[in-house]
Amino acid sequence: MNEPLITARSLVKKFGDLVAVDEIDFDVEQGEAFGFLGPNGAGKTSSMRMIGCVSPTTSGRLEIFGLSPTADGRAIRARIGVVPQMDQLDNELTVLENLVIYARYFDIPRDVARARAAELLEFVQLTERKDDTVDPLSGGQKRRVSIARSLISEPELMLLDEPTTGLDPQARHVLWDRLYQLKERGATLVLTTHYMDEAEQLCDRLVVMNGGKIVAEGSPRNLITTYATREVLEMRFGRGHNEEHVSEVSQVGERVEILPDRLLVYAHDGEGALATLRERNIIPESALVRRSSLEDVFLRLTGRTLVD
Amino acid sequence: MTAPAATERISIATRIIPAVLFDVRRPQRLVERSLVVTRRGWLMVVSGFFEPLFYLLSIRVGLSALVGDVAVGGDLVPYDEFVAPGLMAASAMNGAVFDSTMNVFHKWKQARLYDSLLATPMSAGDIAVGEVTWAVIRGLLYSTAFLATMLVLGMVGSLWMVLSIGACVLIGFAFAAVGMACTTFARSWADFDYLPAVTLPLFLFSATFYPPSSYGDWSWVVQLSPLYHGVALIRAANVGEFSASVIVNIAVLVGLALVGIAVTARRIEKLLLT
């Protein structure tokens, strides 16, 4: 049995009085794509920075590759690739130089660095921009340079902090595709996100974080079956009229969530529930039946929506 | 097993030299980056060669004739030969301060270069030593140009003057290290408005333009200026006469360099590794 790549036990991070990460436990296995899902301020980035050995732990145990960040930070950082939330590309260098110089920080010989850089630029489809400075690149392109840069040291573990935040849908899909390819090649990915679809697409397993704590853990599918029903019926009765219908509506589903603009009814059969309501002459302004998602899991666990 | 004597030696060393300095492995990688960046901005580097020429010509053309000879040690030297070492030291200081303040602040706050470096196997110590070393290398280039200009204008008084390059390296090291350390305390660009308030008095009152004896009873104050110790070194080299005070001059500059680098590395750790 392989040792997990990352082990965290009772891990705590405090900034003064603020508890950013509050006694969390998790393991990340070799070759898996592991996600931290949660709203802003949930403690995702703090956890990532501790794993990346750029933030000392306050208490608890954290091991990466079986090493301790305090004693072996340099050795651990040599084996991980980091894609930060804000691209921290070197604006004084070209795209190609960004990769080659970054490789030099890892003591990689120059000719090896050049060969890898050429390959990686091909991989992220930026070969024709290699001699441009990074400033004029679009957000999606910059993020791709960041990913290529993080791969130049052939890391055993990749840390991606909100890899697609702020990108347009098209750029997101290109990025997901690249990350998916990395996964297929056996890379271990740890990523944070506050997008359900991203977590569902990329993560084999994830933890849901809220207020510094892990509130649930499992595969996306698993979490959905555990914490939500198969389908969700969304209904709008118009502003201020949603609450009046809660008691009637709750008779046709397992659970009801009241949001400012709509009611969510968790039911095995959404269409059936809607039909029953119509028979009872309860007609919403609009109604929609969809499959349940991680968003619903999150709502159930924390009582709030993810993207606020 | 480590021999007890060796452990003892290490513990004494760590008491004197801060631990961050032991975590310096590959500062040359950051120097390499600076070289690549500078390759594109080479014109700016060339402009640095004009500075000594203008300095020295201005002294040669006017002041020298007005002032006459000045006593250095036991000798009388022409004024331009007296001032040139002072200007050489000042130019080494200015270059180092410029590189280690504004340039570093930009890389720190605007470009977030050090954040991305710390995610790699580079350490805070590597960054401190790497940046200071780069400032020294650039300074070395300018000092050599300065010396060459002095030679052409006939202001070099002794063959010992080759040692002035070493003195400039020390000045560069001390001022770049202290400059970078101070930069880590800067909150915004506005803080750099105070910079001339420090460098200008140093430039004017470090026995650059007249010997410390001109200050009479207050000449000891001049000794407090780090630049004075650089000026003294180069002036000694230019007349080729060294006294025991040279050791003090060197010690002051080396001390400042070490303290500056240690403070810088600590501050980088404290501010960026949170």
Side-chain angles (χ1 to χ4, degrees):
Chain A
M1 175 87 197
N2 276 338
E3 286 283 299
L5 227 51
I6 306 174
T7 306
R9 293 291 176 272
S10 310
L11 187 59
V12 174
K13 179 71 197 182
K14 288 185 190 166
F15 297 100
D17 288 338
L18 178 85
V19 185
V21 175
D22 194 0
E23 299 222 7
I24 63 171
D25 301 307
F26 62 87
D27 289 317
V28 177
E29 306 289 337
Q30 176 112 36
E32 93 177 315
F34 182 87
F36 288 97
L37 178 73
N40 295 330
K44 307 186 302 283
T45 299
S46 296
S47 304
M48 287 293 253
R49 284 177 55 83
M50 286 191 280
I51 299 170
C53 306
V54 291
S55 169
T57 61
T58 305
S59 65
R61 188 162 71 91
L62 178 63
E63 276 176 18
I64 300 120
F65 311 120
L67 302 170
S68 134
T70 331
D72 308 300
R74 205 191 272 264
I76 296 170
R77 294 198 306 271
R79 294 163 67 182
I80 56 186
V82 177
V83 181
Q85 202 176 108
M86 306 284 175
D87 295 299
Q88 290 162 350
L89 296 170
D90 198 326
N91 285 321
E92 294 182 280
L93 300 174
T94 65
V95 170
L96 180 67
E97 286 167 348
N98 255 284
L99 269 57
V100 175
I101 291 291
Y102 200 76
R104 300 293 290 153
Y105 301 147
F106 288 79
D107 256 355
I108 294 165
R110 214 167 286 127
D111 47 339
V112 177
R114 282 211 199 89
R116 281 189 199 166
E119 233 170 82
L120 286 168
L121 287 177
E122 201 62 45
F123 174 64
V124 296
Q125 300 166 311
L126 282 170
T127 304
E128 67 282 4
R129 305 298 300 265
K130 70 180 166 62
D131 293 322
D132 293 349
T133 53
V134 292
D135 250 349
L137 299 183
S138 72
Q141 288 170 327
K142 280 184 187 166
R143 202 58 59 87
R144 269 143 61 202
V145 178
S146 287
I147 288 179
R149 190 177 77 162
S150 74
L151 288 168
I152 195 107
S153 56
E154 301 192 329
E156 295 160 58
L157 168 67
M158 278 189 80
L159 304 180
L160 303 122
D161 197 359
E162 300 193 5
T164 65
T165 298
L167 300 187
D168 63 50
Q170 210 177 350
R172 290 180 78 196
H173 281 283
V174 175
L175 213 60
W176 281 350
D177 177 58
R178 298 296 111 165
L179 292 176
Y180 202 80
Q181 281 190 36
L182 288 175
K183 215 178 104 172
E184 282 183 327
R185 293 185 200 170
T188 308
L189 308 179
V190 175
L191 57 100
T192 71
T193 181
H194 53 220
Y195 297 119
M196 297 358 87
D197 47 353
E198 187 157 289
E200 288 192 69
Q201 289 257 352
L202 293 174
C203 296
D204 302 316
R205 208 158 56 82
L206 54 92
V207 291
V208 180
M209 285 193 81
N210 190 42
K213 291 190 183 295
I214 290 177
V215 289
E217 179 179 351
S219 71
R221 219 36 282 160
N222 233 320
L223 286 171
I224 292 168
T225 42
T226 313
Y227 294 99
T229 51
R230 200 171 71 96
E231 290 185 337
V232 185
L233 166 61
E234 293 197 8
M235 287 180 294
R236 289 166 203 268
F237 290 94
R239 278 206 85 79
H241 298 288
N242 289 323
E243 300 216 7
E244 349 178 318
H245 297 280
V246 172
S247 65
E248 300 135 329
V249 163
S250 47
Q251 288 162 20
V252 300
E254 290 175 26
R255 212 175 80 248
V256 178
E257 287 286 349
I258 309 154
L259 300 185
D261 58 336
R262 61 196 195 273
L263 292 178
L264 303 185
V265 184
Y266 290 89
H268 184 73
D269 174 9
E271 290 294 349
L274 183 59
T276 314
L277 286 175
R278 285 203 167 117
E279 278 165 25
R280 298 180 189 172
N281 214 17
I282 297 161
I283 318 283
E285 279 179 9
S286 70
L288 146 87
V289 175
R290 60 169 174 82
R291 284 182 54 165
S292 59
S293 73
L294 279 174
E295 171 94 49
D296 302 301
V297 173
F298 195 81
L299 199 59
R300 168 79 186 273
L301 289 168
T302 68
R304 55 193 279 216
T305 48
L306 261 172
V307 187
D308 26 52
Chain B
M1 276 286 286
T2 321
T7 326
E8 183 65 14
R9 227 174 296 139
I10 290 169
S11 75
I12 288 172
T14 46
R15 228 170 289 157
I16 300 168
I17 307 167
V20 276
L21 293 185
F22 286 104
D23 196 26
V24 177
R25 299 275 184 287
R26 46 182 86 145
Q28 72 276 18
R29 298 289 171 248
L30 191 51
V31 173
E32 200 176 319
R33 175 201 172 270
S34 300
L35 264 174
V36 171
V37 171
T38 311
R39 229 173 17 202
R40 259 192 305 280
W42 59 273
L43 207 66
M44 213 184 73
V45 178
V46 170
S47 73
F49 287 88
F50 289 101
E51 188 186 302
L53 189 66
F54 293 148
Y55 263 149
L56 293 173
L57 276 178
S58 76
I59 301 294
R60 162 59 56 86
V61 171
L63 274 180
S64 201
L66 284 174
V67 178
D69 293 353
V70 180
V72 176
D75 306 315
L76 279 181
V77 297
Y79 186 64
D80 54 6
E81 232 172 87
F82 173 82
V83 172
L87 291 177
M88 187 179 191
S91 128
M93 171 187 81
N94 284 332
V97 167
F98 184 76
D99 262 336
S100 65
T101 53
M102 312 279 229
N103 285 357
V104 161
F105 191 70
H106 170 79
K107 288 187 241 183
W108 178 310
K109 298 279 172 166
Q110 235 107 2
R112 316 286 309 174
L113 175 68
Y114 305 143
D115 291 89
S116 68
L117 277 163
L118 290 172
T120 75
M122 301 280 281
S123 70
D126 289 331
I127 295 174
V129 175
E131 290 293 50
V132 170
T133 304
W134 175 244
V136 170
I137 289 172
R138 263 177 79 157
L140 192 66
L141 218 64
Y142 295 143
S143 309
T144 312
F146 207 110
L147 186 59
T149 315
M150 277 176 72
L151 194 66
V152 171
L153 295 176
M155 295 175 181
V156 173
S158 150
L159 270 180
W160 287 106
M161 198 52 188
V162 288
L163 292 180
S164 68
I165 300 291
C168 285
V169 165
L170 283 181
I171 297 169
F173 239 115
F175 277 96
V178 172
M180 189 165 175
C182 292
T183 300
T184 64
F185 289 93
R187 291 147 302 174
S188 72
W189 286 107
D191 287 342
F192 293 97
D193 293 345
Y194 300 105
L195 206 55
V198 178
T199 55
L200 195 63
L202 288 182
F203 174 58
L204 293 174
F205 301 115
S206 297
T208 330
F209 296 99
Y210 28 85
S213 57
S214 317
Y215 295 97
D217 289 345
W218 292 93
S219 64
W220 62 272
V221 176
V222 178
Q223 306 247 355
L224 296 180
S225 154
L227 182 59
Y228 163 76
H229 296 276
V231 173
L233 279 177
I234 300 178
R235 200 159 277 154
N238 205 25
V239 292
E241 286 171 23
F242 299 94
S243 66
S245 64
V246 166
I247 297 168
V248 176
N249 300 146
I250 292 175
V252 167
L253 295 172
V254 170
L256 280 175
L258 288 179
V259 169
I261 286 177
V263 170
T264 302
R266 284 263 175 89
R267 291 282 298 169
I268 290 175
E269 279 184 352
K270 185 168 173 245
L271 295 177
L272 298 182
L273 299 178
T274 53

